[in-house]
Amino acid sequence: MSEHVYKLIEVAGSSTVGYDDAIQKAVTKAAASLENLDWFEVKEMRGHIQDGKVAHYQVVVKIGFRLD
C-alpha cells in the first residue's frame, strides 16, 4: 500500500431529487476543479419541508484528495 497525504475539504450539495443526487452534485462539482479525489464522507444531511412534503435535500460532504 502506497503512502499518501490527503487534503480535506467540505462541500455542500443540494437537490430537489434526493440525497444521492445531492452527493453526486457535490462530488462532480469538486472534481471539476480538483484532481486526485479519492473518497468522501457524508457529514450532515438535512432538507427543507414545504406544504408537508420534502422539497429540497442538502448534504455536507467531506472529500479527501491526494496531494502530489
Side-chain angles (χ1 to χ4, degrees):
M1 184 168 160
S2 299
E3 295 181 16
H4 296 293
V5 174
Y6 293 89
K7 176 143 179 92
L8 306 176
I9 61 166
E10 287 187 5
V11 180
S14 61
S15 171
T16 56
V17 176
Y19 289 116
D20 289 342
D21 189 51
I23 293 167
Q24 290 291 341
K25 287 180 178 181
V27 171
T28 299
K29 190 67 168 181
S33 61
L34 298 169
E35 297 180 354
N36 302 321
L37 273 61
D38 274 354
W39 57 269
F40 75 92
E41 171 188 345
V42 176
K43 290 190 61 180
E44 299 175 26
M45 299 172 75
R46 64 180 146 266
H48 174 72
I49 300 170
Q50 188 172 23
D51 299 325
K53 296 180 182 178
V54 177
H56 196 250
Y57 303 84
Q58 185 181 46
V59 295
V60 176
V61 181
K62 183 187 293 185
I63 297 176
F65 60 96
R66 286 187 322 278
L67 298 175
D68 290 332

